[in-house]
Amino acid sequence: MAVVTRAVKGTHDLFREDLAYHRTLLNAARRWLEAAGADEIATPIFEFSEVFERGVGASSDIVQKEMFTFTDRGGRALALRPEGTAGVVRAYLEHGMKVWPQPVRLWYAGPMFRAERPQKGRQRQFHQFGYEVLGAGEPELDAEAVALSYWILRGVGLNRLSLKVGSVGDREDRERYNAYLRELLTPHTARLSEDSQRRLETNPMRILDSKAEPDRKLLEELKVRPMLDFLGPEAKAHFEAVQERLRRLNVPYEIDPTIVRGLDYYARTAWELHHELLGAQSALGGGGRYDGLAELLGGPPVPGVGWAVGVERTVLAMKAEGLSPAPEPPLDLYIVALAAELVPEALRAASRFWPELRVQYGVKPRKPGKALQEAERKGARFAGLLGPDEAASGRLTVKHLRTGEQRTLDIEEVKEWVRGGGS
Ligand code: AMP
């Protein structure tokens, strides 16, 4: 029989230190986002493929090349979610959140799936947390969203961040820009990568995001004008208002006139957060305004703005800056039976501390010296010894491992001593 002891390429088990980093980030996200009035939402990890085809955009790389799709037994086309926004907007529409006081602020965290070539910072299953503000279009909301994405990352200690803000304008602005790009690039079609030749047909703006060498070279030679030059008066005023709010909030940003995000639904504000020590895959997260998305899904117009941060990528950045995860609380007490027939009693004793205190017991009997060693190795603050006398009297002999002080006490007294930290 084949041995199945390896996870699928591009997927990873998370435990101990890595999970501690994840938890540190998610706790920071929860703290900031709930402080700002967001409700948590958990949408399914698969949806009808159409949610992403229409939401993320049929011309995006994600839908064209990176979705894990499958057909269920009823013949329905489903996909593992490659990102969180389309599902959140689908849920907003499905549950009539339009009648809630607007705007509705939602945050989420969970695994996302993209069939990309696995490499450092690029996985097939990865994790994101994100924030979406739906139902209002004021520039304060763009600035709030940008600022929160920045502050959460600063809040876990990251210093080497750069925040790039731009605007992709309104639909007519993008149409004018795409027409300009088509005219400029069509005479050079043969020099474009295969992907970009396709993009020239479907959505020329995507070409600006291309990492392919021939595309990069051509774009440089042609001195392509940036999207920002094509903003109409309304998008321009909105972009200026967002920047004014960011300055008011003391959020340091640079304008990136070339920003075009990899998802088709963005309109007006778009931003990315990069880390200076990460090299090629330096984007920790990004976001933007997506006022047209709800309509693409078949709903009424609902303005929205939001972002997502990649957890694994951010953990790489934390490690690059020498940041540690928040420490886990230590084991309070480790209980050891001094004879085999007392092990069941060790289990019972441990259970009396749960869930207030963190208590483990050994399933093998040990001599007292060995028991204390084992407790030390577990990182416990106290060791509890359970011999025949203790079992008969319902007590425990407890040693405070730092001070060496030892007492024989009943369970309630042990609780008090351990909770008091051993003083
Ligand atoms: P996007 O939805 O493409 O804007 O991605 C937002 C963030 O998610 C990126 O900046 C990355 O931090 C992270 N991310 C996207 N794709 C992957 C992937 N395949 N593996 C790991 N992280 C990813």
Side-chain angles (χ1 to χ4, degrees), residues 10 62 66 82-85 108 112-129 261-263 265-266 271-274 281-287 307-314:
I62 293 179
E66 296 168 3
E83 57 95 55
T85 305
Y108 63 85
M112 306 294 162
F113 306 85
R114 294 186 196 175
E116 301 192 77
R117 194 167 63 77
Q119 52 186 295
K120 194 173 165 150
R122 235 175 231 298
Q123 303 175 188
R124 291 189 166 171
Q125 174 172 338
F126 60 99
H127 296 78
Q128 286 185 338
F129 56 88
R261 305 264 306 128
L263 302 94
Y265 52 59
Y266 285 113
W271 72 96
E272 281 178 358
L273 273 155
H274 289 263
Q281 311 293 338
S282 69
L284 303 187
W307 50 263
V309 162
V311 177
E312 283 82 356
R313 212 62 84 70
T314 306

Side-chain angles (χ1 to χ4, degrees), residues 70-373:
F70 57 103
T71 312
D72 73 3
R73 286 178 212 192
R76 285 167 286 256
L78 306 177
L80 295 182
R81 64 181 183 193
E83 57 95 55
T85 305
V88 169
V89 175
R90 195 265 311 132
Y92 175 96
L93 296 170
E94 180 167 349
H95 303 290
M97 295 184 197
K98 190 129 182 79
V99 304
W100 298 8
Q102 305 292 305
V104 174
R105 292 176 167 87
L106 298 168
W107 80 279
Y108 63 85
M112 306 294 162
F113 306 85
R114 294 186 196 175
E116 301 192 77
R117 194 167 63 77
Q119 52 186 295
K120 194 173 165 150
R122 235 175 231 298
Q123 303 175 188
R124 291 189 166 171
Q125 174 172 338
F126 60 99
H127 296 78
Q128 286 185 338
F129 56 88
Y131 182 53
E132 315 289 355
V133 184
L134 291 148
E138 282 79 2
E140 283 73 23
L141 298 172
D142 305 50
E144 169 195 317
V146 173
L148 284 167
S149 67
Y150 177 74
W151 286 328
I152 291 168
L153 297 181
R154 289 282 296 139
V156 297
L158 290 170
N159 280 313
R160 309 285 296 272
L161 295 169
S162 68
L163 169 60
K164 299 180 180 194
V165 185
S167 172
V168 296
D170 288 317
R171 188 180 307 130
E172 316 80 68
D173 307 335
R174 285 190 300 284
E175 276 164 12
R176 276 190 293 128
Y177 190 50
N178 271 329
Y180 157 77
L181 289 175
R182 217 172 257 135
E183 199 177 306
L184 183 72
L185 294 171
T186 302
H188 307 279
T189 309
R191 287 183 57 191
L192 288 170
S193 70
E194 207 177 300
D195 278 341
S196 289
Q197 293 188 9
R198 174 175 53 74
R199 294 173 182 131
L200 195 56
E201 300 287 314
T202 53
N203 191 352
M205 278 174 73
R206 287 276 79 79
I207 297 173
L208 304 185
D209 245 358
S210 169
K211 303 272 181 299
E213 195 52 42
D215 298 344
R216 298 256 46 102
K217 218 166 141 206
L218 181 63
L219 292 171
E220 200 154 307
E221 268 176 45
L222 293 177
K223 300 211 177 357
V224 181
R225 290 169 63 199
M227 177 70 231
L228 272 190
D229 283 3
F230 287 74
L231 296 193
E234 284 176 25
K236 201 167 178 174
H238 185 87
F239 187 44
E240 270 157 20
V242 172
Q243 290 181 60
E244 192 278 331
R245 311 304 185 264
L246 286 175
R247 288 193 294 271
R248 199 181 277 261
L249 293 172
N250 279 324
V251 174
Y253 66 91
E254 315 158 34
I255 293 183
D256 182 345
T258 63
I259 221 161
V260 284
R261 305 264 306 128
L263 302 94
D264 283 359
Y265 52 59
Y266 285 113
R268 299 195 169 183
T269 318
W271 72 96
E272 281 178 358
L273 273 155
H274 289 263
H275 193 265
E276 290 160 11
L277 305 179
L278 283 195
Q281 311 293 338
S282 69
L284 303 187
R289 178 160 280 289
Y290 48 80
D291 294 347
L293 177 54
E295 281 167 282
L296 288 172
L297 296 180
V302 180
V305 61
W307 50 263
V309 162
V311 177
E312 283 82 356
R313 212 62 84 70
T314 306
V315 170
L316 289 176
M318 289 176 75
K319 289 179 178 171
E321 283 200 45
L323 297 168
S324 302
E328 298 294 312
L331 194 62
D332 291 313
L333 171 66
Y334 185 69
I335 301 173
V336 185
L338 301 180
E341 67 278 11
L342 297 175
V343 172
E345 198 45 32
L347 159 63
R348 199 178 76 92
S351 75
R352 293 193 51 197
F353 294 95
W354 298 334
E356 300 119 83
L357 293 170
R358 299 165 75 95
V359 178
Q360 229 183 71
Y361 67 97
V363 289
K364 298 270 189 260
R366 300 285 184 223
K367 297 213 162 61
K370 189 85 191 295
L372 293 176
Q373 267 178 18

